[in-house]
Amino acid sequence: MSISLKPLVNYLFGPGKGLVAADDKPDSTNKRLEEFNIPETLEKRTRYREIVVTTTNIEKYISGIIFHEETLSNTLSDGRSFHEVLRSRGIITGIKVDQGLTLLSRSSIEQKTNGLETLADRLLDYKKFGAQFCKWRSVFTIGKDMPTDECINENIKIFAKYTQIALQNNYLPILEPEVLTLGDHPIEVCKKTTQQILLSLFALLDKENVDMSQVILKTNMVLPGTDAKIKASPSEVAEKTIGCLTGSVPHNTGGIVFLSGGQSTLEANLHLNAICQVKSLPWPISFSFDRAFMYPVLKAWQGRKENIVRAQNELLEVTKDSSQALQGVFKP
Ligand code: 13P
């Protein structure tokens, strides 16, 4: 029997609260550790996530944390599991359930997301570790004739199946179709591409009678490509992002969270702040940052025990900034 996920949606979008995405695949986490000369080991990956889980007072700004399967069953040195510690502080555990990407075809550089075949069984298993919501990511590259219709259609079909399996198993699904910022395209191209993908996605979900109020969209902000000649101000990012989303995301959707997409922590918060200064948006808005939170923490930590408190203070600071951005009152 399916349950209403609306209370969970309301909880995750509690005032001034958002999500930490601590769910990188092991090899992606390793790449980030390497950037700070931290050994690329399971031990260090786990320690990073432990820093997040044990940061005092983080529950003031965070309602949920998304983990990778690798972390879900972890315990603290006192034997308590991550999810028990989080639950006792009112933080809900989520799980990344996609299993990486494969090329659409041998001649293509575009990718589709894997993991549907085993999803139902894994969801059942993840319940043991307190997971209540889940996340599925696909990526879209902007380039010559990209993203192709094939890439969009293939990935949205997978999203629709994922959503149904998640809902059947009483998980709140987050759908993350990420348009990458790599490239020299102007902001308008990002807007048009993001909108095209979201329109196709929600049209399919609607056709399949998905209850949008039980679904969360995790999306990129609308930005110019990283190599674009013309940059955009926070107010332009906000205007284009909101224009894109109001034109493509059903107004009864549970909520929208933003990924940071390789922006610096400051940029991500400035853009979020500008978006949240716009009043009367149809859906609740929040953040679900990974790198924007992870980089300042790794920088402070450097993989050393004696820096853990410093790293946790940093995490508290950046999540507080994002919380203030949600209220449109962030001041760098
Ligand atoms: P970033 O915030 O680093 O873009 O990551 C978000 C995410 O969850 C990627 O799956």
Side-chain angles (χ1 to χ4, degrees), residues 33-325:
L33 293 175
E34 192 189 2
E35 288 179 49
F36 293 90
N37 294 318
I38 301 171
E40 301 137 60
T41 60
L42 172 62
E43 218 280 300
K44 292 296 183 192
R45 294 197 295 276
T46 309
R47 287 291 83 78
Y48 164 68
R49 280 143 190 172
E50 187 171 329
I51 287 176
V52 178
V53 170
T54 55
T55 295
T56 311
N57 285 332
I58 200 177
E59 65 273 17
K60 285 191 195 163
Y61 315 118
I62 296 299
S63 53
I65 298 184
I66 312 172
F67 287 130
H68 186 271
E69 190 179 43
E70 175 179 79
T71 315
L72 202 58
S73 57
N74 280 152
T75 52
L76 299 183
S77 35
D78 63 8
R80 285 178 305 155
S81 61
F82 276 15
H83 74 90
E84 275 166 2
V85 176
L86 292 174
R87 195 182 42 204
S88 70
R89 295 165 56 197
I91 300 175
I92 313 260
T93 296
I95 173 80
K96 168 194 176 73
V97 292
D98 59 87
Q99 294 187 311
L101 306 160
T102 45
L103 292 179
L104 269 183
S105 68
R106 274 207 263 159
S107 57
S108 166
I109 61 162
E110 293 185 303
Q111 295 167 309
K112 65 175 180 178
T113 308
N114 303 319
L116 277 184
E117 297 72 20
T118 53
L119 180 60
D121 287 343
R122 287 185 292 124
L123 286 174
L124 215 57
D125 210 34
Y126 299 148
K127 282 270 175 199
K128 286 191 261 176
F129 303 106
Q132 295 187 43
F133 66 100
C134 55
K135 187 193 91 171
W136 185 279
R137 174 177 181 253
S138 66
V139 289
F140 300 92
T141 305
I142 295 181
K144 191 174 173 323
D145 301 326
M146 290 193 300
T148 58
D149 287 346
E150 187 196 358
C151 177
I152 296 175
N153 291 335
E154 190 62 35
N155 278 296
I156 65 167
K157 273 193 256 164
I158 297 172
F159 267 125
K161 289 207 183 95
Y162 149 74
T163 305
Q164 282 176 338
I165 297 171
L167 289 171
Q168 278 158 8
N169 286 280
N170 295 324
Y171 276 79
L172 173 65
I174 299 185
L175 286 65
E176 183 185 12
E178 176 174 2
V179 177
L180 300 176
T181 50
L182 295 176
D184 58 4
H185 51 271
I187 190 168
E188 285 74 17
V189 174
C190 178
K191 179 178 177 191
K192 198 165 145 250
T193 307
T194 305
Q195 192 154 34
Q196 183 194 359
I197 294 164
L198 294 179
L199 280 169
S200 311
L201 173 64
F202 283 104
L204 183 58
L205 295 181
D206 185 48
K207 197 166 146 215
E208 303 209 348
N209 295 319
V210 170
D211 176 357
M212 305 299 179
S213 70
Q214 317 234 8
V215 161
I216 294 178
L217 172 69
K218 175 160 175 169
T219 186
N220 48 284
M221 297 177 189
V222 172
L223 300 166
T226 36
D227 298 327
K229 289 207 179 68
I230 302 176
K231 305 294 174 203
S233 64
S235 59
E236 190 183 0
V237 170
E239 186 222 316
K240 295 275 193 309
T241 302
I242 290 167
C244 169
L245 297 175
T246 45
S248 54
V249 182
H251 290 188
N252 62 337
T253 302
I256 298 179
V257 293
F258 289 102
L259 55 93
S260 58
Q263 300 176 82
S264 71
T265 313
L266 179 62
E267 278 171 337
N269 280 333
L270 284 172
H271 292 153
L272 182 65
N273 189 60
I275 291 168
C276 294
Q277 281 178 341
V278 178
K279 298 284 172 248
S280 308
L281 295 175
W283 349 256
I285 293 274
S286 192
F287 54 86
S288 174
F289 296 160
D290 180 346
R291 281 165 289 175
F293 291 150
M294 188 177 194
Y295 281 134
V297 173
L298 295 185
K299 191 170 172 203
W301 176 41
Q302 301 287 325
R304 291 170 211 254
K305 209 171 169 185
E306 62 271 24
N307 293 337
I308 287 179
V309 172
R310 196 142 67 89
Q312 292 184 320
N313 288 340
E314 196 62 38
L315 180 61
L316 200 61
E317 208 47 48
V318 287
T319 50
K320 181 177 173 194
D321 287 347
S322 297
S323 170
Q324 292 191 328

